[in-house]
Amino acid sequence: MTTKSLNPLPLKERMKVPRQHMPEQAAQLRATNFTEVNLGYSTELARQEAARCLECAKPACTQDCPVGVKVKDFVQLIMAGDFLGAAAKIREDNVLPAITGRVCPQEDHCEGGCLMGKKVQSLGIGYLERFVADYEQRHMDLNKVPKAPPTGKKIAIVGSGPSGLTAAGDLVQRGHRVHVFEALHEVGGVLVYGIPEFRLPKQIIREQVDYMRAMGVEFETDVVVGRTVTIDELMEEEGYDAVFIATGAGLPQFMGIPGEHLNGVYSANEFLTRINLMHAYEFPRYDEPMLDFAGKNVAVIGGGNTALDAIRSALRLGAGKAYVLYRRSETEMPARAEEVKHARQEGIDFQVLTAPVEFLSDGNGWLTGARCMRMELGEPDASGRRRPVPIAGSEFDLPLSVAVIAIGTSANPIVQSTTPGLATNKRGYISADETTQRTSRKGVFAGGDIVTGSATVILAMGAGRRAAKSIDEYLTSGTW
Ligand SMILES: Cc1cc2nc3c(=O)[nH]c(=O)nc-3n(C[C@H](O)[C@H](O)[C@H](O)COP(=O)(O)OP(=O)(O)OC[C@H]3O[C@@H](n4cnc5c(N)ncnc54)[C@H](O)[C@@H]3O)c2cc1C
């Protein structure tokens, strides 16, 4: 039900109100700490921003959201000062609002569709979502979290990233018993092991997971499905009625250039896991082994969110010079625009149209630098982006103590190789129907990065929602 508009501003006037700026830590200060960069809207800023909404009859923001959040309705509730009501409205479609409010690429979804954005700046939907979720966090009572009557059906979810968590949340709300198996010792997938504290504090994820526990979701960590237990054992011996595989795409890719084996060359996955999950950023409270590169040169190779997270983490750990080496131009860079802006403000040196062709050694197995080449853009390749072409004679050497490879990831094969009859594509990702998330195995569904390859939090969540809906239909109807 849509709340009646309480906005006294005529539509034309709303267009004149500038988008409210998100308060943030000063760049020089934040480059030295792991505390969150964005500080969140105050109540006043949130209400001012909400008042900009044009309250469209057919809101494109909701159509463009992969989980269909009812943006207009929750924004109207903010206008009305009913922040808990706004949170409940978001939760109808999104079980992780404090997370999507922080890391979702809103510019490609809700804010990309916002009518306001066609003329002036789009409504700050992500900032408002974050405000509401944080408000809810401060005021909620976990004892009052609603629970659905049990259906007697039992579902196993493999992987606790955003896809698995979303499916778990939706299924438990339908009264099914949901058990999430996670290989690592902490729940959250990339949200905990990949995205650093300064963008997404671990406490936020823990609180969202606590909420899910209160809803009735069961979590079990340190279980590698395919090793500790197989999908067949879960279904045949442990009595699960359906399984949702959401194992992500966490296997690092390398460049295949000379010197990649040297000490000092990390995959972004390892680098960020050591910093985030193993708490290297809290040395000496946690004594996680990392090279001491304080004052030295560090470069990341790649131009996505992962690359920027790695290099901004290196800067915070004291790197002297911190470079991004990216083989295309900034226009093609896949990282979110806000992250590129923040990284630049912090002093990251972007070397675009540049790629290493060899890592250089001191002769004792340690990295001393990268031999790089400058690139120019040629014809579009299969991805539709213009292909980088090396410029002859442009080689130069960049002195480095650490290089972090962030050029993408692929599928971990453990579940696929231990589940007979589970169809995969030629790149090793699980084949699943785009609408139902069904796989080739009866009762087994899959979604998120393990189906699409590395994508985004909200797309993984969208797959989790679709899977939950079709698992529910399958369990209710009994037909496959
Ligand atoms: C550093 C980094 C930064 C990113 N930043 C952003 C961003 O700002 N915005 C955005 O939208 N997207 C971002 N992404 C992408 C986004 O995080 C992923 O697309 C998303 O997390 C995929 O969700 P998922 O649930 O499919 O898998 P994942 O988040 O990868 O979770 C999969 C989980 O399954 C577990 N698992 C794997 N195999 C097994 C097994 N055999 N048994 C049990 N558990 C298993 C893994 O340990 C993991 O916890 C980023 C990615 C990275 C790496």
Side-chain angles (χ1 to χ4, degrees):
M1 197 188 71
T2 302
T3 316
K4 192 170 173 303
S5 174
L6 292 174
N7 197 335
L9 272 186
L11 288 179
K12 269 194 180 162
E13 293 302 311
R14 295 183 205 177
M15 300 287 255
K16 293 184 191 155
V17 182
R19 179 171 156 132
Q20 303 303 309
H21 177 68
M22 166 63 77
E24 58 192 35
Q25 273 198 77
Q28 269 188 329
L29 176 66
R30 69 179 190 243
T32 62
N33 68 52
F34 274 82
T35 312
E36 203 175 0
V37 171
N38 285 341
L39 302 174
Y41 275 164
S42 61
T43 305
E44 196 173 43
L45 280 178
R47 291 183 84 163
Q48 279 169 8
E49 184 60 23
R52 295 178 66 233
C53 181
L54 297 177
E55 301 172 287
C56 304
K58 286 191 185 154
C61 45
T62 297
Q63 282 162 21
D64 291 353
C65 171
V67 295
V69 169
K70 299 171 199 87
V71 176
K72 178 169 112 178
D73 294 2
F74 95 74
V75 172
Q76 284 180 336
L77 286 160
I78 297 178
M79 277 288 306
D82 180 2
F83 306 133
L84 288 178
K89 184 55 70 183
I90 299 175
R91 280 195 178 276
E92 288 175 11
D93 306 291
N94 175 356
V95 290
L96 305 172
I99 292 166
T100 48
R102 285 173 165 81
V103 301
C104 183
Q106 289 99 10
E107 58 278 12
D108 298 333
H109 299 288
C110 53
E111 294 183 16
C114 175
L115 196 57
M116 183 86 100
K118 315 277 179 245
K119 306 238 177 226
V120 283
Q121 275 190 301
S122 61
L123 186 69
I125 300 169
Y127 293 168
L128 289 172
E129 184 176 62
R130 170 192 161 131
F131 165 78
V132 166
D134 288 356
Y135 182 92
E136 180 196 42
Q137 202 61 58
R138 288 194 302 273
H139 294 87
M140 82 178 155
D141 179 353
L142 287 182
N143 295 316
K144 291 194 181 148
V145 173
K147 279 193 180 147
T151 62
K153 301 287 183 190
K154 196 166 116 172
I155 300 138
I157 303 218
V158 186
S160 68
S163 200
L165 290 178
T166 300
D170 280 9
L171 285 164
V172 86
Q173 287 187 58
R174 290 173 157 106
H176 302 304
R177 188 171 161 201
V178 180
H179 195 93
V180 180
F181 295 97
E182 168 54 50
L184 298 173
H185 63 268
E186 187 144 356
V187 169
V190 169
L191 306 175
V192 283
Y193 80 74
I195 303 182
E197 190 73 12
F198 57 84
R199 280 212 297 134
L200 181 57
K202 310 278 168 278
Q203 187 55 23
I204 298 284
I205 303 156
R206 286 190 199 116
E207 286 164 355
Q208 302 274 295
V209 170
D210 284 347
Y211 189 96
M212 298 189 69
R213 278 203 180 93
M215 289 163 85
V217 177
E218 300 160 11
F219 291 96
E220 193 174 341
T221 53
D222 301 310
V223 178
V224 181
V225 173
R227 288 285 179 275
T228 325
V229 62
T230 64
I231 300 277
D232 284 341
E233 285 164 353
L234 287 174
M235 297 187 86
E236 287 158 22
E237 293 170 25
E238 299 199 19
Y240 285 94
D241 299 292
V243 177
F244 177 50
I245 306 174
T247 46
L251 203 65
Q253 282 176 357
F254 289 91
M255 304 179 71
I257 62 173
E260 227 169 356
H261 63 283
L262 291 169
N263 293 317
V265 180
Y266 289 88
S267 71
N269 191 306
E270 180 190 342
F271 189 75
L272 285 168
T273 302
R274 280 182 190 270
I275 293 173
N276 293 321
L277 198 62
M278 315 305 281
H279 300 266
Y281 73 97
E282 290 182 86
F283 181 83
R285 198 152 80 88
Y286 289 83
D287 190 7
E288 169 63 17
M290 285 282 290
L291 285 180
D292 178 8
F293 47 79
K296 303 189 181 127
N297 292 0
V298 179
V300 67
I301 294 94
N305 287 318
T306 308
L308 294 198
D309 283 346
I311 201 66
R312 293 173 73 200
S313 298
L315 189 72
R316 284 158 172 76
L317 287 174
K321 284 289 286 176
Y323 301 98
V324 170
L325 306 182
Y326 181 57
R327 62 193 187 136
R328 291 184 163 97
S329 76
E330 193 167 325
T331 316
E332 289 81 24
M333 213 174 251
R336 291 189 63 200
E338 181 176 50
E339 307 311 329
V340 176
K341 183 185 89 180
H342 280 159
R344 253 189 221 298
Q345 290 169 343
E346 290 164 12
I348 303 293
D349 184 339
F350 284 81
Q351 296 281 324
V352 294
L353 290 166
T354 303
V357 288
E358 181 182 354
F359 290 113
L360 308 171
S361 160
D362 68 352
N364 288 314
W366 289 90
L367 178 77
T368 57
R371 178 148 305 149
C372 300
M373 287 189 82
R374 300 289 186 195
M375 304 277 157
E376 58 191 357
L377 293 179
E379 293 302 309
D381 62 14
S383 73
R385 295 177 302 171
R386 291 177 65 194
R387 187 190 300 275
V389 182
I391 301 175
S394 66
E395 287 91 344
F396 68 99
D397 290 351
L398 184 67
L400 292 176
S401 297
V402 167
V404 184
I405 318 276
I407 58 163
T409 51
S410 55
N412 188 313
I414 292 180
V415 172
Q416 297 84 304
S417 62
T418 53
T419 312
L422 185 67
T424 56
N425 67 19
K426 59 179 188 306
R427 291 167 63 218
Y429 293 102
I430 299 176
S431 303
D433 182 275
E434 281 179 17
T435 314
T436 62
Q437 305 300 138
R438 287 181 186 203
T439 68
S440 55
R441 279 284 308 268
K442 186 178 177 193
V444 180
F445 300 74
D449 283 4
I450 189 57
V451 170
T452 55
S454 309
T456 62
V457 169
I458 197 73
L459 290 174
M461 290 175 67
R465 282 216 94 184
R466 289 192 297 278
K469 182 169 177 284
S470 62
I471 290 172
D472 184 56
E473 282 164 6
Y474 164 62
L475 295 181
T476 315
S477 69
T479 52
W480 181 249

